[in-house]
Amino acid sequence: MRAHRRNKHIGLLAAVAALAALLIPYATSGEEEAAAATATSIVYDPGPRLRCYSASDESGGTNYGNDSRDCGAIDEPGRVDDSCTWFGYSSPRGTQCPAWRFVTYGWDENRLRQYPGYDHQVQGPSGSPLKLVLQNNSRNLQDQCELKEVAFSYEYVGSSLERRADGKEYNFSDGRTKVSYDASVEQSGDFRCAERRAILTTDFIYRTARGLNLISVVHYDPGAFSRPNEDGVLWSNGCKDGEGRPSGCRVTVPGQRIEPGRTTRIDVDFTEVARQYARYLGGEPAPSPSQIEAVQVVNSTKGADLKAEVSHADVTVE
């Protein structure tokens, strides 16, 4: 998805590719147990558990659906933001933002809950981990080889992301940053495009002096969308924009596999991933400052039908 800040929204998903392989654990089991005791969640609504969200069309730059029924459960001074009046939720503290989002790219809103088309659903009672359904059906579109994406997104300080105890934003350099969630996937039918794209990725976005960096880790890729290079990298932008000018660095790499029809616990240590692929991140994977901007789970297709379900999500810093 394109990067912009309309209605405090971020997306950098369009450049993502896919392949799947198991990441090598960084720590021993004893070290992992010790780290788990000191891990700090940096999102207001782990799970998510609350219906305090919006639905955004990234390509159109609009928000077309809001649900604020549970926002009162996370009334926080750090969430007050007058730029979110469009969301329609105001507490005694003031206007507040959605705690998370559904985000689409490439879909017209009139294709919501149509076939071919897309859908996003919230299942389960508020207060318990909700199941988020991401449906992305582009197999029988007339323009079937255009990129289509449906994502779940934690984003922005004061919206999804908390601040540190000193009031400053969390930086990628503040500690070991990890993302975890349960996921399942199901592809229906075959591929209709030369680019066999029906992928699920975890995307981590952080701001550096160079610009926005994106690390995209692929968990499901039945079409073998892209061949990895000698380092296992599926795609990178060489830290340059489309016109060859220096910009933020974007890299897509293989990650923990998801088998279709089986719910899998995904755990991505983005600090270790950044270290492993530092040369694709300007040689400085976690500079200071490096403000954490967003974490997204992205269902991305071209001429394929893919359903994903996500729950029990969290973003932590150790």
Side-chain angles (χ1 to χ4, degrees), residues 226-286:
S226 178
R227 291 181 180 274
N229 70 6
E230 66 278 5
D231 294 325
V233 171
L234 298 162
W235 180 87
S236 72
N237 72 339
C239 300
K240 296 180 180 179
D241 65 16
E243 298 181 0
R245 297 170 298 197
S247 72
C249 304
R250 305 184 187 185
V251 61
T252 303
V253 301
Q256 182 182 349
R257 292 178 183 272
I258 299 176
E259 297 298 328
R262 174 185 295 181
T263 299
T264 302
R265 185 65 179 172
I266 296 296
D267 292 289
V268 184
D269 182 340
F270 274 98
T271 299
E272 180 59 22
V273 174
R275 288 174 179 168
Q276 182 176 353
Y277 299 101
R279 61 176 290 195
Y280 297 91
L281 297 167
E284 192 176 14

Side-chain angles (χ1 to χ4, degrees), residues 208-219:
T208 71
R210 181 189 294 267
L212 288 175
N213 280 9
L214 165 66
I215 303 173
S216 186
V217 177
V218 182
H219 307 293

Side-chain angles (χ1 to χ4, degrees), residues 2 6 10 15 33-34 63 101 105-106 111-112 130-131 148 158 206-208 242 318:
R2 312 302 189 222
R6 180 180 177 89
I10 187 171
E33 290 175 2
N63 291 277
R101 294 199 192 219
Y105 176 79
R111 301 312 305 174
L112 176 62
L130 302 170
K131 179 185 289 186
K148 307 292 184 182
Y206 60 105
R207 184 174 297 279
T208 71
E318 298 172 0

Side-chain angles (χ1 to χ4, degrees), residues 1-13:
M1 293 185 176
R2 312 302 189 222
H4 60 73
R5 299 186 67 92
R6 180 180 177 89
N7 289 341
K8 297 198 74 175
H9 174 64
I10 187 171
L12 288 176
L13 311 177

Side-chain angles (χ1 to χ4, degrees), residues 8-172:
K8 297 198 74 175
H9 174 64
I10 187 171
L12 288 176
L13 311 177
V16 215
L19 189 66
L22 191 62
L23 291 176
I24 300 173
Y26 177 80
T28 65
S29 58
E31 291 170 332
E32 289 171 343
E33 290 175 2
T38 60
T40 299
S41 176
I42 65 169
V43 292
Y44 285 107
D45 185 18
R49 296 173 178 268
L50 303 173
R51 286 173 167 84
C52 181
Y53 68 92
S54 69
S56 300
D57 172 10
E58 174 72 5
S59 46
T62 61
N63 291 277
Y64 60 89
N66 300 323
D67 191 336
S68 61
R69 75 185 76 174
D70 298 330
C71 292
I74 46 173
D75 283 346
E76 299 279 353
R79 284 178 36 76
V80 174
D81 189 334
D82 289 340
S83 70
C84 284
T85 55
W86 55 268
F87 181 50
Y89 177 74
S90 183
S91 75
R93 301 178 186 272
T95 299
Q96 296 188 24
C97 300
W100 53 275
R101 294 199 192 219
F102 287 119
V103 184
T104 65
Y105 176 79
W107 283 112
D108 293 330
E109 292 170 29
N110 62 8
R111 301 312 305 174
L112 176 62
R113 300 189 175 95
Q114 303 294 316
Y115 186 86
Y118 72 101
D119 196 7
H120 38 63
Q121 299 179 13
V122 181
Q123 299 178 357
S126 296
S128 62
L130 302 170
K131 179 185 289 186
L132 311 182
V133 181
L134 311 175
Q135 189 80 51
N136 192 4
N137 296 332
S138 63
R139 180 172 173 267
N140 289 319
L141 284 175
Q142 185 175 0
D143 56 348
Q144 60 191 14
C145 292
E146 291 185 359
L147 179 67
K148 307 292 184 182
E149 295 180 324
V150 182
F152 155 64
S153 181
Y154 281 131
E155 55 197 28
Y156 285 115
V157 175
S159 182
S160 302
L161 302 175
E162 297 187 11
R163 296 178 183 271
R164 303 184 319 199
D166 62 5
K168 296 181 179 179
E169 298 87 354
Y170 276 98
N171 279 270
F172 194 20

